[in-house]
Amino acid sequence: MAGDETARQRLEQLSRNADPLNRQMIEYRLKHPLPSRSSLSQSSLAIVEKVRSYTDQEHYYGLLNHRPHQRGLATRFLFILHVTVFLVEVFYGDSTNPQTLDTLGALNLRALEGEWWRIISASLLHAGVWHLTFNMLGLYLFGPYVEYWLGGARFLLLYLFGAAGSMLFCLGDMYLFDSDRSLVGASG
């Protein structure tokens, strides 16, 4: 039972630097050790394996010991960028005014006439407070998790290419169906 002895040594080591409450719990565990695996029945072993499987899955998917909202610098950056652009919209007129949105870079067929910057700028604009609110709610809820798994740089690249891709798709739709509408929003 090398594992039991290793655990005992580790607990004794932790006990030396532990606060009084933790030291008391460690001493209790040392005096009352858990039963070894060999003393468990087959059904108990199956339960232990099931719990281990669930714990491994929770750890893998980042649900234990992880708070993605404490990280997420790229998510915060995107959040601040979208809100700042929205404040610029309000400053230049009204965020629901088509003229203001067009001036600031709403996506329309002029993107095919050389104004390619509209493909990205349109994804930063929002037509009204509720439009911005719901897009930012999605970013707040899902962004930190995606950023956690991809890393900040890859998350920003995914966001950029996702925004550009959705706008290019919409631009193709506008071209094919000869539409004179304008489009804004992070959701494409």
Side-chain angles (χ1 to χ4, degrees):
M1 302 266 174
D4 290 345
E5 191 56 39
T6 303
R8 176 174 284 286
Q9 289 171 357
R10 172 114 179 156
L11 283 173
E12 288 171 349
Q13 182 182 14
L14 287 172
S15 178
R16 289 186 210 116
N17 298 325
D19 60 76
L21 180 61
N22 283 328
R23 187 175 301 121
Q24 183 181 3
M25 289 187 291
I26 291 170
E27 288 171 2
Y28 176 84
R29 180 53 58 213
L30 288 170
K31 288 179 186 172
H32 304 92
L34 294 172
S36 66
R37 286 181 63 93
S38 61
S39 67
L40 296 176
S41 67
Q42 287 298 326
S43 62
S44 295
L45 284 172
I47 292 170
V48 168
E49 283 307 312
K50 192 175 238 182
V51 169
R52 183 191 322 267
S53 172
Y54 289 152
T55 304
D56 289 347
Q57 286 178 3
E58 287 180 11
H59 180 72
Y60 177 76
Y61 291 108
L63 299 175
L64 289 179
N65 300 321
H66 173 65
R67 294 185 182 123
H69 291 287
Q70 290 179 344
R71 299 176 187 196
L73 293 176
T75 302
R76 288 185 205 164
F77 168 75
L78 289 170
F79 192 91
I80 291 168
L81 177 65
H82 281 283
V83 171
T84 302
V85 170
F86 184 77
L87 293 174
V88 169
E89 287 179 52
V90 171
F91 178 77
Y92 275 97
D94 180 14
S95 64
T96 58
N97 183 334
Q99 297 300 127
T100 301
L101 295 172
D102 186 59
T103 301
L104 294 174
L107 183 70
N108 53 40
L109 289 176
R110 288 191 310 211
L112 295 174
E113 299 166 3
E115 296 182 15
W116 289 101
W117 51 273
R118 290 181 176 276
I119 291 169
I120 298 300
S121 64
S123 67
L124 298 173
L125 298 171
H126 291 86
V129 173
W130 289 112
H131 186 196
L132 174 73
T133 300
F134 285 111
N135 275 284
M136 293 306 98
L137 180 63
L139 181 64
Y140 176 78
L141 292 175
F142 300 112
Y145 290 99
V146 177
E147 182 179 352
Y148 174 74
W149 284 109
L150 295 178
R154 279 194 245 155
F155 174 65
L156 286 173
L157 283 174
L158 175 69
Y159 196 89
L160 175 70
F161 285 116
S166 68
M167 291 301 169
L168 285 171
F169 180 81
C170 292
L171 185 61
D173 179 65
M174 288 178 192
Y175 178 76
L176 288 174
F177 295 102
D178 198 29
S179 174
D180 62 348
R181 70 179 188 265
S182 292
L183 181 73
V184 296
S187 52

